[in-house]
Amino acid sequence: MRKITKPVFFIVLLLILGFAYLTYAGIHYYYGDIRHSYIKGIDEIRWGIDIQGGVNATFEPELNGDQETTTDEMDAVTEKEITKDDMDAAKATIEQRLVGLNITDSEVYADYTKHRIMVSFPWQSGEENFDPSEAISELGDTAQLVFAKGTEQPANLEDPNVVLTGNDVKKAEARQYQDENTGNVSWVVSLELNEKGKQAFADATTELAGSGQISIWMDDNNISAPSVNEPILDGKCQISGNFTYESAKNLADKINAGALPFNLRSTSTNIISATLGEGAKRAMAIAGVIAFIMVAIYMIIVYRLPGFVASIALLGQAAGSLACISGFFPNLESFTLTIPGIAGIILAIGMGVDANVIVSERIKEELNNGKTLNGAIELGYKRAWAAVFDGNITVVFVAVILMGAFGPTDSVFGTLLKPLFMAFGASTAGTIYSLGYTLLVGIILNFFFGIFCSRLMLSSLSKFKAFKKRKLYGGVDKND
């Protein structure tokens, strides 16, 4: 408390206001007609199907590259060649590709009888001329990555020239690479191989060092064919080409998701209308702003200076929740926001209000018990911490269970809770996952803004002579 000085309030206030503005507006630049974002704003949030609408597509296996196969012929062939395990593998791969695009509000169903996979997912943020065919074009690609000796495409995966496949890759990610000779910077796909791939790649590069090439293929497309200068023994390599960040990340996501057991072709696509639409989205935004202002006014009237500080902290918490959804932070991609996700934000802000109310009441009690102003603030936060922590940690448990049960990866919670939630009509994992995500993020931010930042600001204000009156904190002046 003694180390917190007067300027701290203004520093924290400016940081929160600046953070809120950047979260809203972002930072962008234009290269021709293409907009690139240094920092993503809220206009780049991908809204869920229930708010913005989306696309529905039906996929069927493309056998032997023949796209004119009739339905009867397809059923006859697939009965022999495609198993239930193949359909499950294809469904899981498409789900993983959607997750790689941070599309959590999606539905993927497999029809084992007719060998079809149905996919529904929301429009991309900012999309005006939506082309459903283009939106689903990459989901059905086989995405089979192959490293082969020489420059010729191997006939199949059993070809003796095949060195690696996508199954030998432990991790793929887009990275920037600077050429040591020219200094040019380009985007590459960096690969980390598993133990089997590491040994196979070491053997091949040792054999070809100084005299051979290894070609890299994605399906039927040759990405590159670099010369092998020396053995590569550490299990790390990279794929170079004329990549942009988007194309490099897209390739890395496909490799991470794995290859489909067969190529899929889209037999039908259609647009899904939004449940609410643009008008309702604007109405929700206006209602949210009005509600926030009313809560702030109430807090200031009832709790005075602590209420004023709490309102600033709540602004930071709300901005932080939106930042975690929009992709504001470099390590967090944009997230699909659904109506239950909005409910999660509101509930988390409500928990933030509750935390500040508890703290304000504790400070008032300490003042009325005769404590000094600084002592009351310090003891108020200290004694409120246990109640705030207990109330918020239970919500964290709920949020984690929701994310585990309805997230993109299975968990022990999912096995137990999915049937229960589906029985109550929660038929899509994405909407419930969005609720858990926004709730968890909001509660974590509540600890930071509602406790840490508000304590800094209130302690700083108490150093000013104009704010030393006990009435401003809900207490009774000793002179009264």
Side-chain angles (χ1 to χ4, degrees), residues 338-356:
T338 63
I339 292 176
I342 295 173
I345 295 175
I346 296 171
L347 180 56
I349 291 176
M351 294 297 292
V353 173
D354 180 65
N356 282 281

Side-chain angles (χ1 to χ4, degrees), residues 46-120:
R46 183 189 284 270
W47 299 92
I49 297 175
D50 48 7
I51 298 174
Q52 185 165 295
V55 61
N56 175 272
T58 300
F59 290 101
E60 291 182 359
E62 181 182 322
L63 302 174
N64 302 320
D66 181 10
Q67 297 190 11
E68 301 300 327
T69 308
T70 65
T71 301
D72 292 338
E73 292 172 335
M74 177 71 70
D75 291 341
V77 177
T78 52
E79 284 288 340
K80 300 177 182 179
E81 297 190 4
I82 297 179
T83 65
K84 181 178 182 295
D85 289 341
D86 291 333
M87 294 295 293
D88 287 336
K91 176 176 177 287
T93 300
I94 289 178
E95 287 175 338
Q96 190 59 40
R97 290 181 183 180
L98 290 167
V99 170
L101 295 170
N102 288 283
I103 302 174
T104 54
D105 182 22
S106 61
E107 300 177 15
V108 183
Y109 298 108
D111 183 342
Y112 301 104
T113 303
K114 297 185 178 296
H115 301 95
R116 296 172 180 169
I117 296 178
M118 286 72 75
V119 184
S120 301

Side-chain angles (χ1 to χ4, degrees), residues 17 65 69 71 98 105 135 232 235 238 258 295 321 323 354 356 358 369 382 433 446 467:
L17 293 178
T69 308
T71 301
L98 290 167
D105 182 22
I232 301 175
Q238 62 188 31
V295 169
S321 296
D354 180 65
N356 282 281
I358 293 173
N369 287 335
K382 184 177 180 180
Y433 182 70
N446 181 25
F467 299 120

Side-chain angles (χ1 to χ4, degrees), residues 147-162:
F147 284 62
K149 299 176 184 178
T151 58
E152 297 295 325
Q153 182 180 8
N156 52 55
L157 297 182
E158 306 301 324
D159 192 303
N161 287 326
V162 172

Side-chain angles (χ1 to χ4, degrees), residues 273-347:
S273 299
T275 306
L276 297 181
E278 287 295 323
K281 190 162 65 174
R282 285 192 294 271
M284 284 192 297
I286 295 171
V289 171
I290 294 173
F292 182 88
I293 293 172
M294 292 179 66
V295 169
I297 292 173
Y298 173 82
M299 292 289 290
I300 293 170
I301 291 174
V302 176
Y303 295 105
R304 302 171 190 178
L305 196 59
F308 171 70
V309 169
S311 300
I312 299 173
L314 289 174
L315 175 63
Q317 181 182 339
S321 296
L322 294 175
C324 290
I325 296 166
S326 67
F328 177 93
F329 302 103
N331 59 329
L332 291 176
E333 295 288 343
S334 57
F335 189 85
T336 306
L337 182 60
T338 63
I339 292 176
I342 295 173
I345 295 175
I346 296 171
L347 180 56

Side-chain angles (χ1 to χ4, degrees), residues 351-364:
M351 294 297 292
V353 173
D354 180 65
N356 282 281
V357 167
I358 293 173
V359 169
S360 300
E361 289 290 345
R362 291 291 184 272
I363 292 174
K364 184 192 297 186

Side-chain angles (χ1 to χ4, degrees), residues 333-413:
E333 295 288 343
S334 57
F335 189 85
T336 306
L337 182 60
T338 63
I339 292 176
I342 295 173
I345 295 175
I346 296 171
L347 180 56
I349 291 176
M351 294 297 292
V353 173
D354 180 65
N356 282 281
V357 167
I358 293 173
V359 169
S360 300
E361 289 290 345
R362 291 291 184 272
I363 292 174
K364 184 192 297 186
E365 289 175 5
E366 296 302 328
L367 286 172
N368 292 333
N369 287 335
K371 295 292 190 298
T372 64
L373 180 57
N374 288 339
I377 293 174
E378 185 172 357
L379 284 173
Y381 276 97
K382 184 177 180 180
R383 293 182 176 177
W385 168 249
V388 172
F389 180 81
D390 290 345
N392 282 267
I393 201 65
T394 53
V395 179
V396 168
F397 292 152
V398 172
V400 169
I401 291 172
L402 289 174
M403 293 180 67
F406 294 95
T409 56
D410 290 332
S411 68
V412 63
F413 300 115

